[in-house]
Amino acid sequence: DRGGRGGGRGFGDRGGRGGRGGRGGAAGVKVVVEPHMRHPGVFVSKGKSDTLATLNMVPGISVYGEKRVEIGAATPEAEKKEYRLWNPYRSKLASAIYNGVEAIRMQPGSTVLYLGAASGTTVSHVSDLVGPEGVVYAVEFSQRSGRDLEEMTKRRPNVVPILEDARHPLKYRMLIPRLVDCIFMDVAQPDQARILGVNAQYYLKEGGGFVISIKANCIDSTAPAPQVFAAEVAKMKGLGLKPKEQVTLEPFERDHAVVCGTYKPVTN
């Protein structure tokens, strides 16, 4: 996660019909929020421009200054819903969705191991996405970012903050009691593929999904980005990670790609 600019652009598949009559952005502006057709738990706010959103688990609270959109109840018995707009310039996962990734390998009810949680910008949206029946195990090594992460999780009981080094997954084995459905990784280290592989070995169920953000110049600043991405994909295949798709993150991130796939443990 990192800071960045606002704004959005066209992306992926748009949603089906959703709630109407909400207010967001400028006062009195009507917006429509629809489920994303491709990604359960993700929504599209259709206003002046289409923007990704997640259903806010903590209504009335923004995590990083993001805008919120409230949708009026369709019937007197129904409750109002509040959505948080998801900025692709501040989230690798959001930028991958904008750029058309087919499957993010997580949905409502999923358990997710999030490596490289930083202060929790994207973690908070994954928390919304998996909902109260899901769990996010958020690993962050930086003490400063970890403090922000822990503060955010006080209002989100489905997030477990883990202040440890993702390069050494056995250090947090007591905090993850079961195999997870998906690993999301945004750790800028030269041995990204190895870190993902060893965490998958300990914590990812067979057939589970992975999503990894690869920063090319962190691995090799002298080689062309496509060459670096191809080399990392080759390493993953040797670790039981089966890449299914790859998208680059321009214009949101330069020389980044997100690779998604499934896990089948290597047997000797």
Side-chain angles (χ1 to χ4, degrees):
D1 290 338
R2 68 174 184 85
R5 293 165 287 169
R9 56 191 278 278
F11 54 89
D13 285 337
R14 305 224 167 66
R17 295 187 64 82
R20 289 186 175 271
R23 293 181 179 267
V29 176
K30 294 281 187 177
V31 296
V32 178
V33 176
E34 303 176 347
H36 196 289
M37 290 180 66
R38 197 179 289 171
H39 306 294
V42 180
F43 297 84
V44 179
S45 173
K46 301 176 74 68
K48 192 172 181 180
S49 62
D50 290 356
T51 309
L52 291 177
T54 54
L55 180 62
N56 194 359
M57 272 194 66
V58 191
I61 301 294
S62 293
V63 173
Y64 56 98
E66 72 281 9
K67 292 182 179 179
R68 306 188 309 274
V69 174
E70 187 179 82
I71 297 298
T75 65
E77 296 79 21
E79 294 183 0
K80 292 181 179 180
K81 293 183 177 180
E82 184 180 90
Y83 297 85
R84 300 167 54 231
L85 302 188
W86 196 358
N87 186 343
Y89 287 99
R90 298 193 63 170
S91 170
K92 312 291 197 320
L93 183 55
S95 57
I97 295 172
Y98 266 79
N99 283 358
V101 71
E102 290 284 342
I104 57 173
R105 310 289 166 177
M106 61 185 81
Q107 61 186 356
S110 293
T111 55
V112 177
L113 174 57
Y114 193 119
L115 305 176
S119 57
T121 297
T122 299
V123 171
S124 68
H125 285 288
V126 175
S127 165
D128 287 343
L129 192 160
V130 303
E133 302 302 317
V135 180
V136 184
Y137 299 101
V139 180
E140 175 54 43
F141 190 48
S142 162
Q143 293 299 310
R144 182 175 179 179
S145 294
R147 286 193 294 271
D148 294 336
L149 178 67
E150 287 187 316
E151 187 63 31
M152 184 270 290
T153 63
K154 290 177 181 177
R155 295 190 179 96
R156 292 176 173 269
N158 69 344
V159 181
V160 179
I162 300 174
L163 303 188
E164 281 291 355
D165 188 341
R167 293 174 296 182
H168 305 290
L170 283 178
K171 289 186 175 182
Y172 40 90
R173 65 189 183 279
M174 301 302 292
L175 298 174
I176 303 178
R178 53 179 172 153
L179 297 178
V180 302
D181 299 307
C182 174
I183 294 178
F184 179 87
M185 178 171 162
D186 182 11
V187 176
Q189 293 289 337
D191 57 341
Q192 290 178 8
R194 185 201 67 82
I195 295 171
L196 176 60
V198 72
N199 276 274
Q201 176 186 345
Y202 288 118
Y203 301 120
L204 185 57
K205 63 177 59 172
E206 184 171 354
F210 68 87
V211 181
I212 178 172
S213 173
I214 302 172
K215 183 177 181 180
N217 65 12
C218 179
I219 297 167
D220 186 343
S221 60
T222 64
Q227 181 178 322
V228 175
F229 300 149
E232 290 303 293
V233 166
K235 292 175 189 175
M236 291 179 209
K237 291 178 179 178
L239 298 169
L241 301 160
K242 310 295 182 185
K244 301 292 187 183
E245 59 178 322
Q246 176 180 321
V247 296
T248 57
L249 301 187
E250 283 84 3
F252 310 109
E253 298 281 355
R254 186 177 178 182
D255 293 336
H256 280 68
V258 160
V259 176
C260 307
T262 57
Y263 177 60
K264 184 175 175 60
V266 175
T267 56
N268 295 325

